[in-house]
Amino acid sequence: MTTLLLRLAGPLQAWGSTSRFVQRTTENAPTKSGVLGLLAACEGRPRNADLSDLAALRFGVRIDQPGSRIKDFHKAENPNTGRVMPLSDRYYLTDAVFIAGVEGEDEFIKHLHTAVTAPRFLPYLGRRSCPPSRPLLFDGSLTDQPLETALQKAPWQASRWYARQSARTATDNPPEPQKLDLLLDCPPDQTPDFSLRDTPLTFDPRHRQYAIRGIRTGHTQAPPPHDPTAHLRPTSPTDPQSGPPQPAPRAISADATLTPPNRNAS
């Protein structure tokens, strides 16, 4: 089995699971239907395409930066007829960063990785008005680790300002590693912590259908930031790997007269 990890970061995100009519809500983390829709867009699948292979993938999310919830009062009008569409409240997550992962058969996951590298349709973070602000793929996005292990070990993708703010507000001295929430597909033989109707059966706009998915929650510590100099060690003049010790330069007084050598001396 292979796992594909995606970095979902943007000024706005919206991951609805029960949005209807004039109240367009968002969950606190990406939904399975939203991420699978993103992957289907990268592949170039039409909306009425079969989704059984995507829906069978194991899905999980790590919340690296929870962001804040905001509301937008939305009004739309047809420019040709002047007809005013129903007013709506639309909710978004702002300044949020997530890592979403899917686990499945090697060839299929590698195919999805290739599709994300060169997407057929523009990927977005839940709604068309929410483009990603950072690349979806990062070093280690494609891994042979199990989904939960991959989410635990992936580099922390939070913004630098958020990491600095978290360190300043920590009460421990020294501060403990940041704790990150995990949301994973619940195995069939376990009891889920909660459920969402967000497993897509079809994206056909004439009759979208979703199945209920059990979700298990967990926590992990944010991996430390990568230090490219961690393997280096200080050297000393007597270190055998640094060569023989070099003589110290001789000090010369400011009023000394430098006499060139006499090359004609016998």
Side-chain angles (χ1 to χ4, degrees):
M1 304 296 277
T2 303
T3 297
L4 173 63
L5 301 178
L6 302 175
R7 173 176 49 206
L8 307 178
L12 293 176
Q13 304 186 38
W15 307 99
S17 63
T18 59
S19 296
R20 295 290 186 275
F21 308 111
V22 297
Q23 291 292 326
R24 304 296 180 90
T25 61
T26 178
E27 299 295 331
N28 293 329
T31 57
K32 188 171 186 176
S33 59
V35 174
L36 295 188
L38 182 152
L39 292 172
C42 291
E43 288 184 286
R45 295 195 191 196
R47 286 187 172 271
N48 59 356
D50 178 42
L51 301 176
S52 57
D53 53 351
L54 287 171
L57 298 174
R58 189 160 182 251
F59 176 72
V61 173
R62 193 181 79 186
I63 303 177
D64 283 22
Q65 184 174 322
S68 304
R69 187 185 298 266
I70 62 173
K71 182 176 76 170
D72 175 43
F73 180 71
H74 190 83
K75 175 184 176 182
E77 180 178 336
N78 189 313
N80 297 322
T81 64
R83 179 191 175 195
V84 177
M85 307 300 291
L87 305 179
S88 63
D89 290 328
R90 304 196 178 194
Y91 293 84
Y92 298 87
L93 298 176
T94 178
D95 287 333
V97 181
F98 307 97
I99 293 183
V102 290
E103 179 185 24
E105 297 296 332
D106 298 353
E107 291 303 319
F108 185 42
I109 295 297
K110 291 177 181 178
H111 161 73
L112 294 177
H113 180 267
T114 302
V116 175
T117 303
R120 177 66 177 82
F121 298 130
L122 179 68
Y124 48 84
L125 307 180
R127 293 190 187 133
R128 294 189 191 93
S129 59
C130 304
S133 60
R134 298 166 65 185
L136 297 173
L137 300 176
F138 55 92
D139 289 342
S141 280
L142 191 64
T143 174
D144 57 1
Q145 296 175 332
L147 175 62
E148 187 167 1
T149 303
L151 288 174
Q152 291 171 345
K153 294 186 176 182
W156 193 22
Q157 299 297 322
S159 304
R160 282 181 290 181
W161 68 263
Y162 178 80
R164 291 195 300 266
Q165 184 183 80
S166 300
R168 285 198 302 266
T169 57
T171 58
D172 304 295
N173 190 16
E176 293 184 356
Q178 182 80 9
K179 288 186 177 180
L180 309 178
D181 291 331
L182 293 175
L183 303 173
L184 297 159
D185 280 352
C186 183
D189 58 342
Q190 297 183 18
T191 302
D193 295 316
F194 66 97
S195 299
L196 283 179
R197 188 179 291 276
D198 70 340
T199 299
L201 303 178
T202 175
F203 288 133
D204 191 329
R206 296 170 297 180
H207 185 52
R208 296 185 180 92
Q209 297 183 56
Y210 304 91
I212 294 178
R213 172 176 68 102
I215 300 172
R216 182 168 55 87
T217 61
H219 305 278
T220 187
Q221 292 183 343
H226 173 62
D227 181 4
T229 64
H231 67 288
L232 302 178
R233 60 186 179 84
T235 60
S236 64
T238 58
D239 191 335
Q241 296 186 7
S242 62
Q246 301 295 323
R250 186 178 61 182
I252 302 176
S253 62
D255 57 351
T257 301
L258 299 180
T259 304
N262 184 359
R263 300 186 184 278
N264 296 324
S266 55

